[in-house]
Amino acid sequence: MAKQKTYQLTLTAIFIAILLFQTYIPLLGYIPIPPLNITIIHITVIIAAVILPLKNSILVGLAWGVLSFSRAYIAPSSVFDILIFRNFIIAVLPRVLIPIVAGSLFIWLMKRHSIKIAALVAAITGTLTNTFCVLGLIYVIKGAEFAELNQVAPSQLYLILGGIVTTNGIPETIAAAIVVPIVATIYWHKRGGKAQNRTD
């Protein structure tokens, strides 16, 4: 048990280190396409969610949120980063919800389907959780400012946010749906295919 916990803590630290590189090295975690960056970094968090115990993967999601928050101060890529991700709730909450949703769903599906299918669904739902939670919080917390920055009336904000779902959310979902099942299948097959017995 102690050996297993050490292994899981080591993996957790590796995931957080990867997030650090993806956050601050251009194009490794974010592709700058205004008004919001297309993210690649969410894939790392979803992979953590289907590999690590829930508490460990939540820590990885929290790390991404804190890094997003710090990046908005240290190295913002646009004025949108400054407006949105300097808000701690918008920066952190969606990132913490990713492993809760994706990890829990993965374990539940693993009892009924293959690793590949479970990971595919987890990848899609994890990505959509991030997308819709970020956009929803923007609407609730920063709606007026975001509308002004995009030079639209607040009543038309839904058009901008809907466009972001198309330009950002769809590519992010497709990328996760391709990468996560491959990584999860390889990892759990090497671990004996017993993902459903993961200690959470």
Side-chain angles (χ1 to χ4, degrees):
M1 181 64 71
K3 184 178 180 180
Q4 178 69 5
K5 286 187 176 180
T6 301
Y7 174 76
Q8 291 167 350
L9 284 172
T10 301
L11 277 183
T12 302
I14 290 171
F15 276 114
I16 293 174
I18 292 171
L19 291 178
L20 185 61
F21 283 114
Q22 288 184 295
T23 297
Y24 288 108
I25 297 178
L27 301 180
L28 282 187
Y30 300 91
I31 300 174
I33 298 179
L36 295 178
N37 296 314
I38 290 180
T39 64
I40 306 169
I41 195 170
H42 71 290
I43 297 174
T44 303
V45 177
I46 297 172
I47 291 172
V50 302
I51 286 178
L52 296 172
L54 183 59
K55 60 186 178 183
N56 295 69
S57 61
I58 289 175
L59 183 60
V60 174
L62 177 62
W64 179 26
V66 172
L67 286 169
S68 296
F69 181 71
S70 67
R71 179 175 178 268
Y73 283 93
I74 298 170
S77 62
S78 70
V79 67
F80 294 98
D81 274 358
I82 296 171
L83 172 66
I84 295 164
F85 293 111
R86 285 187 180 181
N87 182 284
F88 191 78
I89 295 174
I90 299 176
V92 174
L93 181 59
R95 286 45 162 133
V96 172
L97 288 176
I98 292 173
I100 294 174
V101 173
S104 300
L105 189 57
F106 176 75
I107 292 301
W108 184 80
L109 287 171
M110 267 301 304
K111 299 173 182 177
R112 297 159 178 81
H113 301 284
S114 68
I115 292 173
K116 185 176 291 185
I117 291 175
L120 174 64
V121 176
I124 293 170
T125 55
T127 306
L128 294 179
T129 296
N130 181 62
T131 299
F132 285 106
C133 192
V134 168
L135 296 181
L137 289 171
I138 289 172
Y139 186 86
V140 171
I141 298 174
K142 294 287 186 177
E145 297 99 316
F146 194 71
E148 183 179 355
L149 201 56
N150 282 279
Q151 299 180 327
V152 299
S155 60
Q156 300 297 307
L157 182 60
Y158 71 94
L159 295 174
I160 299 295
L161 298 178
I164 293 172
V165 171
T166 302
T167 59
N168 294 44
I170 292 176
E172 290 169 3
T173 302
I174 292 172
I178 293 171
V179 175
V180 175
I182 294 172
V183 175
T185 301
I186 292 171
Y187 176 85
W188 284 115
H189 276 227
K190 286 184 176 294
R191 300 285 293 175
K194 297 181 180 180
Q196 66 269 39
N197 295 328
R198 185 181 67 175
T199 301
D200 280 318

